[in-house]
Amino acid sequence: MSQTKDTSFMDTIVSLCKRRGFVFQASEIYGGIGNTYDYGPLGVELKRRVKEAWWTRMVTLRDDIVGLDSAIIQNPKTWETSGHVSGFTDPMVDCKKCKGRFRADKIEDARCPERPSKKPGECGGELTEARAFNLMFKTHVGAAEDSSSIAYLRPETAQGIFLNFKNVLESSRVKPPFGIAQIGKSFRNEITPGNFVFRTREFEQAEMEFFIPPAQNEQWYKHWVAERASWYSDFGIDPAKLRLREHAADELAHYSTGCTDVEYEYPFGWGELEGIACRTDFDLKRHSEASGKDLRYFDQETKEKYFPWVIEPAAGIDRAALTFLIDAYDEEEVEGEKRVVLHFHPEIAPITVGIFPLVKKEGMPEKAAEIERMLRTSRLRTYYDESAAIGRRYRRQDEIGTPFCVTVDGDTMKDDVVTIRHRDTMVQEKLKVAEIEGWIANAMRSWKRPAR
Ligand code: ATP
């Protein structure tokens, strides 16, 4: 590609997202609110595809994982027991002059809010000592606003899964090794600004807790690290920009025996996409002790009662969506003009097929609308466009990553033959209207990331 993927590349992505309706600044008309974004029509579709791709692979295609949708506000004892009330903190420092707030452990990457070309403290201000800042959002439940009514917005979805371990065990035909998967919003009062939707204050997580007999720890940990890394490349992410980073012993939580991050090389450097951690039996044991409810599993065959160990792949949907966008972006010169194209995997693309009448007469718009209805009914996401020259219409779809476009022309009116164009190769083929669906299904199955 002609443009280097440096930090100005992020500006290109942000502006594309706004122009084409992927992502908007939240509360924009009031000047926004820090680290918070809204998803527009195409962004919503993109996120739905990412979630669907995760859910299909993690739940639908497996017989050992079931789903859950737990509440965002749980009994606050949940977060005392999990350690979040006392320990879910980032070390924070303040600048006494410009009042900027920074994460002490990320100070190297931070910028002074008053003088963005400078580092924290270089505005002449003195930085305070680091102090622990809890990332959980507090709220009050019920009419009283006193300390007895304090509750928290969940900072992760995982704890809801542990709370429901016994419910799922007793209501579903599952036994270790098995998993419970959940996608939902989490909230963190992040201190550092976030590189667009990479780090936001509310975000969607996709987490799965895989409950296993302790002796199978090593085997399942390896399985989930490999499986989660390949999920990203299977959906089109450049494998050369993915790496696994195993946490050093001093980075691990005291209860954890291993943690590996799947990282991606963003324009702003390598960053975590997802973490796969072995949480041992820490959570179930703690909740068992604190609630007085026995959360052990009774193995009918061995007559043994034990706390299963847990392997947790924890991904971020917003971060994944951003990664798919960044990774798909390309610019090239075609016939003397710049072509911007998002090479999304067809399963990830917000729109699957664009449908155009070549001209706005001779019955072509009606025929194109009829084909669009047919494809829509087959649950394909379609986009009808009859304005501007055909080349312009192709470019508009390229820019939002639509993998296929169907054009209705004179041949369609005569012989029921349309032109179908592939986004990646720009190759056009003629085929019968009745063959469109089969052709698209086949092209989706056999899609390969184009070499760039
Ligand atoms: P980081 O080190 O980037 O703060 P983390 O290690 O705290 O992330 P986890 O608690 O392991 O993250 O959460 C799992 C996943 O949830 C992350 O890999 C990321 O994809 C996503 N995630 C976490 N925090 C945020 C956030 N503030 N905004 C967007 N996604 C997030």
Side-chain angles (χ1 to χ4, degrees), residues 95-155:
C95 173
K96 288 184 181 165
K97 178 164 174 263
C98 73
K99 309 287 175 223
R101 285 204 149 161
F102 314 98
R103 255 173 78 169
D105 57 335
K106 300 252 158 123
I107 207 120
E108 281 309 307
D109 309 328
R111 296 275 143 220
C112 169
E114 204 173 71
R115 305 181 63 185
S117 63
K118 305 263 179 204
K119 296 217 155 137
E122 286 181 3
C123 62
E126 191 193 335
L127 297 179
T128 60
E129 287 287 305
R131 63 200 155 88
F133 176 79
N134 196 297
L135 297 182
M136 281 199 295
F137 281 102
K138 268 189 200 160
T139 186
H140 292 272
V141 169
E145 278 207 17
D146 55 29
S147 60
S148 69
S149 66
I150 287 180
Y152 303 93
L153 303 190
R154 68 177 173 203

Side-chain angles (χ1 to χ4, degrees), residues 197-444:
V197 293
F198 179 83
R199 185 180 306 287
T200 52
R201 293 202 166 110
E202 55 178 277
F203 54 97
E204 276 185 288
Q205 284 189 309
E207 296 191 293
M208 194 276 292
E209 308 304 313
F210 202 70
F211 300 94
I212 54 172
Q216 297 178 13
N217 182 43
E218 203 50 34
Q219 152 199 351
W220 281 110
Y221 176 58
K222 281 200 186 120
H223 168 87
W224 283 112
V225 170
E227 160 61 14
R228 291 306 305 150
S230 67
W231 182 82
Y232 292 97
S233 47
D234 291 349
F235 282 97
I237 302 283
D238 183 357
K241 290 195 168 282
L242 288 171
R243 74 176 184 196
L244 294 174
R245 191 184 72 82
E246 200 163 350
H247 287 208
D250 62 356
E251 278 181 275
L252 292 176
H254 64 90
Y255 51 80
S256 176
T257 60
C259 184
T260 299
D261 288 344
V262 181
E263 294 190 335
Y264 181 78
E265 192 178 13
Y266 294 94
F268 43 84
W270 287 94
E272 174 186 329
L273 244 181
E274 163 159 1
I276 299 101
C278 172
R279 302 181 66 110
T280 63
D281 56 6
F282 176 77
D283 305 270
L284 286 180
K285 216 180 215 168
R286 289 279 294 237
H287 286 303
S288 223
E289 283 159 12
S291 66
K293 302 282 184 304
D294 187 358
L295 299 181
R296 285 176 298 173
Y297 168 72
F298 179 67
D299 188 326
Q300 298 282 0
E301 278 163 36
T302 61
K303 307 290 175 216
E304 192 198 354
K305 220 173 187 192
Y306 66 95
F307 287 108
W309 278 30
V310 171
I311 308 293
E312 174 196 78
I317 296 296
D318 307 74
R319 223 175 254 189
L322 174 68
T323 312
F324 282 116
L325 254 165
I326 288 173
D327 196 75
Y329 188 94
D330 199 14
E331 285 176 10
E332 59 187 12
E333 202 171 295
V334 177
E335 290 158 11
E337 274 187 41
K338 181 168 97 171
R339 174 170 103 117
V340 172
V341 53
L342 295 178
H343 290 288
F344 284 131
H345 186 294
E347 303 272 3
I348 296 293
I351 306 285
T352 312
V353 52
I355 295 136
F356 319 138
L358 184 63
V359 289
K360 265 198 271 183
K361 54 187 183 192
E362 293 158 22
M364 290 182 206
E366 292 74 15
K367 183 71 186 168
E370 184 191 313
I371 294 172
E372 197 213 357
R373 262 195 312 279
M374 173 186 90
L375 298 176
R376 228 180 237 282
T377 314
S378 302
R379 301 284 183 272
L380 288 176
R381 282 295 287 140
T382 58
Y383 190 98
Y384 177 85
D385 190 0
E386 60 176 28
S387 68
I390 194 78
R392 279 278 306 279
R393 283 182 263 169
Y394 284 143
R395 292 289 179 276
R396 281 185 202 146
Q397 295 305 311
D398 289 342
E399 199 188 37
I400 60 169
T402 306
F404 316 112
C405 288
V406 169
T407 301
V408 167
D409 57 18
D411 288 347
T412 324
M413 306 316 290
K414 213 162 31 109
D415 304 323
D416 228 28
V417 166
V418 294
T419 302
I420 195 155
R421 172 193 181 263
H422 202 295
R423 172 200 67 201
D424 297 336
T425 55
M426 290 183 284
V427 167
Q428 305 190 6
E429 277 177 57
K430 293 266 184 191
L431 76 170
K432 290 271 190 193
V433 169
E435 294 166 345
I436 300 174
E437 274 181 57
W439 188 96
I440 290 178
N442 185 42
M444 286 182 81

Side-chain angles (χ1 to χ4, degrees), residues 4 56 63 66 76 82 123 149 164 166 184 190 240 362 394 399 413:
T4 52
T56 302
D63 60 6
V66 292
S82 65
C123 62
S149 66
N164 282 286
K166 205 88 188 170
E190 299 277 3
E362 293 158 22
Y394 284 143
E399 199 188 37
M413 306 316 290

